[in-house]
């Protein structure tokens, strides 16, 4: 029988009508409260730390996914730019050929696709040289333009937002040396 004094259940706990037992329970409860409070504080601390770790993991994962997506997009754009360069080169080599109009239409379509994707050309004649956006492949000595100005663009550069995918290859002006 579960409620009998001979039962194993409740043998360690005093009987409710036992006055000595109630006093013992109060003392035991008062002694156990600091232990339980400390244990609860420790568990709450572990819980809060686990939540913070999970939040940090989510943020790291999101940044990693964004980085990988960005790298994949840039890699695809670099491949696309090689095809664009080939079409531009074909047009430059055969300016008056029978395929000129068709090649120009393909080039215009490729440029429109890049533009829709937010890609813009970098480097135009007459703009100041910026080593972060341009690659100087030659120098032209002239007094017709200020020093460090782009005189010609040999290969267009491209940027996606603030990020340069490929710098423009340019010829930069330099003032002539003073004779003296």
């Amino acid at each position: 029988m579960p409620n009998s004094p001979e039962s194993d259940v409740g043998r360690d706990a005093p009987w409710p009508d036992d006055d000595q037992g109630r006093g013992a329970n109060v003392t035991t409860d008062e002694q156990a409260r600091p232990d339980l409070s400390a244990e609860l504080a420790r568990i709450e601390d572990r819980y809060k730390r686990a939540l913070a770790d999970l939040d940090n993991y989510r943020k790291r994962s999101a940044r990693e996914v964004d980085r990988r997506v960005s790298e994949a997009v840039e890699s695809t754009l670099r491949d696309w730019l090689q095809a664009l360069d080939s079409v531009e080169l074909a047009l430059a080599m055969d300016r008056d050929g029978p395929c000129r109009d068709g090649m120009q239409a393909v080039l215009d379509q490729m440029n429109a696709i890049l533009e829709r994707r937010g890609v813009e050309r970098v480097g135009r004649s007459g703009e100041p040289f910026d080593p972060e956006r341009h690659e100087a492949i030659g120098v032209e000595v002239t007094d017709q333009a200020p020093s460090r100005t782009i005189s010609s663009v040999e290969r267009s550069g491209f940027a996606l937002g603030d990020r340069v995918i490929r710098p423009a290859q340019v010829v930069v002006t330099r003032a002539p040396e003073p004779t003296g």
Side-chain angles (χ1 to χ4, degrees):
M1 293 172 106
N3 291 336
S4 71
E6 294 83 32
S7 162
D8 285 344
V9 176
R11 188 172 274 184
D12 294 335
W15 288 97
D17 58 342
D18 181 6
D19 288 339
Q20 281 184 331
R22 267 190 241 137
N25 267 347
V26 171
T27 306
T28 305
D29 287 346
E30 288 174 1
Q31 290 171 349
R33 277 192 191 135
D35 293 340
L36 290 176
S37 296
E39 179 69 13
L40 178 62
R42 187 180 66 77
I43 290 171
E44 283 178 343
D45 182 57
R46 286 180 56 198
Y47 172 74
K48 288 177 183 175
R49 288 176 188 264
L51 280 179
D53 287 345
L54 179 61
D55 189 46
N56 289 336
Y57 172 75
R58 286 179 181 155
K59 290 176 183 176
R60 265 193 324 272
S61 295
R63 281 192 306 266
E64 181 68 16
V65 166
D66 288 346
R67 184 185 64 80
R68 287 186 183 209
V69 166
S70 178
E71 287 174 356
V73 166
E74 288 178 18
S75 176
T76 301
L77 286 173
R78 278 190 212 95
D79 292 343
W80 184 257
L81 295 179
Q82 289 176 356
L84 183 93
D85 289 341
S86 296
V87 173
E88 286 179 342
L89 183 60
L91 277 170
M93 290 175 62
D94 193 15
R95 294 190 186 276
D96 297 323
C99 297
R100 167 103 175 110
D101 292 340
M103 293 295 281
Q104 186 61 52
V106 169
L107 181 62
D108 292 343
Q109 184 179 19
M110 293 173 85
N111 283 323
I113 290 169
L114 288 173
E115 192 174 311
R116 279 196 309 265
R117 299 290 178 202
V119 178
E120 62 183 45
R121 284 188 184 258
V122 174
R124 290 182 177 38
S125 294
E127 73 181 36
F129 175 75
D130 179 358
E132 291 184 14
R133 299 174 67 84
H134 308 121
E135 177 184 350
I137 59 169
V139 176
E140 180 183 342
V141 178
T142 182
D143 58 0
Q144 301 299 316
S147 285
R148 299 183 51 91
T149 300
I150 296 173
S151 65
S152 67
V153 178
E154 299 303 315
R155 184 182 80 176
S156 293
F158 294 88
L160 181 61
D162 294 339
R163 193 171 170 100
V164 175
I165 297 170
R166 181 178 83 183
Q169 291 182 340
V170 297
V171 176
V172 181
T173 61
R174 184 180 74 197
E177 296 288 325
T179 56

